[in-house]
């Protein structure tokens, strides 16, 4: 099932949803800021608001329970409320905080956060998501959004014992529901999310993931998908954005990075395990893909963790 493949990839690239903070606002308001993260998201708990960012011709209207994900954007303007006079200008809340503005009877309630991945998954995720994605609450592809957003709000605003742990868990579930919605979207951009959702390519993908060390030929993969070599290669590239061999090599690098992060695996043993003829061949491929040698990568990630 594609859900199994999705979980597998998410674990490999260490996808994490980090809730930055939230605010409850009454009256006319606006919040303007620069975006420093690759992937930023906002969830609307209550009310409505308009979101403007670079690349959007017109503001995006969000209703209660909606989520918007911004990919590689740099400018942000959030606006809400109505009435005469200039809007109250709000600063983005500090990390982990919940800010209330107005007389206490909030009309609009917003939660913001970011998505983090390890170096191995950064390009995968950025490629798979559109520049601006609006996921509406209550759709067939995202049935739990509103419930998760409400739970996040209650934990973040109430800050009861264990609230930080709860926020992390609900944030992860929120991100999973959003990614499931992307996978179910017929207009998904080229990339691994679209690849996971493709029924015809699923058998070949399962083979690559199960045995990345094998030198899978185009004929092997095409036969598993009941397609000719030409049709398989064209369809795979159209869906994934890369040829099958490139995807196999990229998957091997993800496996290698997981192994290097998690234990004392010897480089030569890892090279042979992934199907390389020698340690030097593996190290060359790893450095070409990751930008540093396996030993340098292992030393760096251990220090950072």
């Amino acid at each position: 099932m594609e859900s199994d493949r999705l979980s597998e990839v998410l674990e490999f690239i260490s996808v994490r949803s980090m809730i930055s903070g939230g605010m409850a606002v009454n009256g006319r308001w606006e919040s303007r800021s620069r975006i420093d993260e690759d992937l930023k998201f906002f969830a609307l708990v209550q009310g409505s608001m308009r979101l403007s960012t670079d690349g959007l011709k017109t503001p995006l209207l969000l209703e209660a329970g909606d989520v918007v994900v911004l990919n590689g954007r740099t400018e942000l303007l959030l606006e809400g409320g109505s009435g005469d006079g200039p809007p109250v200008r709000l600063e983005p809340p500090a990390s982990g905080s919940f800010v209330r503005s107005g007389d206490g009877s909030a009309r609009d309630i917003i939660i913001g956060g970011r998505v983090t991945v390890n170096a191995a998954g950064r390009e995968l995720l950025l490629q798979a998501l559109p520049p601006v994605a609006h996921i509406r609450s209550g759709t067939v592809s995202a049935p739990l959004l509103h419930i998760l957003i409400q739970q996040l709000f209650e934990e973040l605003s109430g800050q009861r014992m264990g609230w930080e742990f709860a926020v992390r868990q609900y944030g992860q579930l929120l991100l999973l529901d959003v990614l499931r919605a992307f996978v179910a979207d017929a207009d998904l951009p080229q990339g691994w999310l679209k690849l996971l959702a493709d029924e015809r390519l699923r058998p070949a993908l399962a083979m690559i993931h199960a045995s990345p060390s094998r030198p899978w030929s185009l004929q092997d993969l095409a036969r598993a998908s009941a397609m000719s070599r030409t049709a398989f290669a064209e369809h795979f590239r159209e869906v994934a954005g890369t040829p099958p061999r490139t995807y196999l090599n990229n998957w091997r690098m993800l496996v290698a990075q997981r192994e290097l992060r998690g234990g004392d695996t010897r480089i030569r043993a890892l090279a042979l395990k992934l199907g390389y003829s020698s340690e030097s061949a593996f190290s060359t491929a790893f450095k070409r893909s990751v930008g540093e040698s396996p030993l340098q990568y292992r030393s760096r990630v251990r220090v950072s963790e």
Side-chain angles (χ1 to χ4, degrees):
M1 299 174 62
E2 67 265 21
S3 58
D4 295 330
R5 300 274 81 82
L6 178 60
S7 297
E8 186 177 23
V9 176
L10 295 181
E11 287 294 335
F12 265 80
I13 65 177
S14 301
V15 172
R16 297 290 181 269
S17 170
M18 312 292 289
I19 304 300
S20 302
M23 54 185 183
V25 192
N26 187 33
R28 191 177 172 203
W29 61 273
E30 69 174 33
S31 178
R32 188 184 300 269
S33 62
R34 286 192 59 82
I35 303 175
D36 297 324
E37 301 92 358
D38 287 328
L39 289 167
K40 183 80 173 175
F41 68 88
F42 293 92
L44 195 63
V45 182
Q46 175 181 302
S48 63
M49 73 174 183
R50 298 174 300 280
L51 182 149
S52 302
T53 189
D54 44 308
L56 278 183
K57 294 182 179 180
T58 58
L60 194 64
L61 178 63
L62 273 69
E63 303 288 352
D66 288 4
V67 175
V68 63
V69 180
L70 306 178
N71 178 6
R73 304 300 88 192
T74 59
E75 301 289 340
L76 176 67
L77 173 62
L78 303 178
E79 302 172 281
S82 60
D84 299 327
V88 174
R89 295 187 177 180
L90 303 174
E91 293 295 325
S95 180
S97 65
F98 192 87
V99 177
R100 298 182 183 274
S101 177
D103 59 11
S105 56
R107 179 183 180 276
D108 303 320
I109 302 176
I110 307 102
I111 294 173
R114 67 186 189 278
V115 180
T116 66
V117 295
N118 61 33
R122 182 177 179 275
E123 291 304 319
L124 274 180
L125 197 58
L126 294 183
Q127 177 200 44
L129 302 179
V132 180
H134 183 191
I135 304 94
R136 291 180 170 83
S137 175
T139 61
V140 173
S141 56
L144 300 178
L145 273 185
H146 200 201
I147 297 172
L148 292 170
I149 291 170
Q150 188 64 40
Q151 293 287 352
L152 270 171
F153 163 66
E154 292 178 3
E155 294 292 345
L156 187 61
S157 60
Q159 298 196 354
R160 298 175 297 167
M161 183 174 61
W163 70 272
E164 291 179 317
F165 178 82
V167 164
R168 287 195 297 271
Q169 305 311 308
Y170 284 124
Q172 287 294 90
L173 291 173
L174 176 67
L175 177 59
L176 177 60
D177 212 38
V178 166
L179 291 176
R180 282 173 171 167
F182 282 125
V183 170
D185 190 344
D187 296 324
L188 198 66
Q190 284 182 330
W192 60 269
L193 280 178
K194 188 170 186 176
L195 182 61
L196 295 180
D198 193 283
E199 295 282 348
R200 299 174 68 192
L201 296 177
R202 184 184 298 172
L205 197 64
M207 290 165 60
I208 291 174
H209 286 196
S211 303
S213 62
R214 291 189 58 177
W216 295 110
S217 68
L218 192 60
Q219 182 64 45
D220 293 331
L221 299 174
R223 186 184 297 115
S225 297
M227 301 168 68
S228 71
R229 288 190 303 174
T230 300
F232 174 80
E234 290 178 352
H235 185 60
F236 194 102
R237 185 162 194 152
E238 179 183 342
V239 172
T242 61
R245 183 68 188 181
T246 300
Y247 182 86
L248 171 59
N249 291 336
N250 290 342
W251 184 253
R252 286 174 172 173
M253 292 300 103
L254 287 175
V255 174
Q257 288 171 80
R258 181 191 62 178
E259 295 295 316
L260 291 169
R261 288 196 307 269
D264 296 321
T265 304
R266 297 178 67 85
I267 304 300
R268 176 173 171 76
L270 180 57
L272 297 177
K273 178 181 178 180
L274 292 176
Y276 290 91
S277 59
S278 66
E279 181 178 337
S280 61
F282 166 68
S283 295
T284 298
F286 189 93
K287 188 169 185 178
R288 185 186 304 118
S289 175
V290 181
E292 56 189 342
S293 72
L295 286 175
Q296 289 171 328
Y297 175 84
R298 182 160 62 188
S299 298
R300 179 177 58 79
V301 296
R302 287 183 177 179
V303 170
S304 63
E305 291 176 357

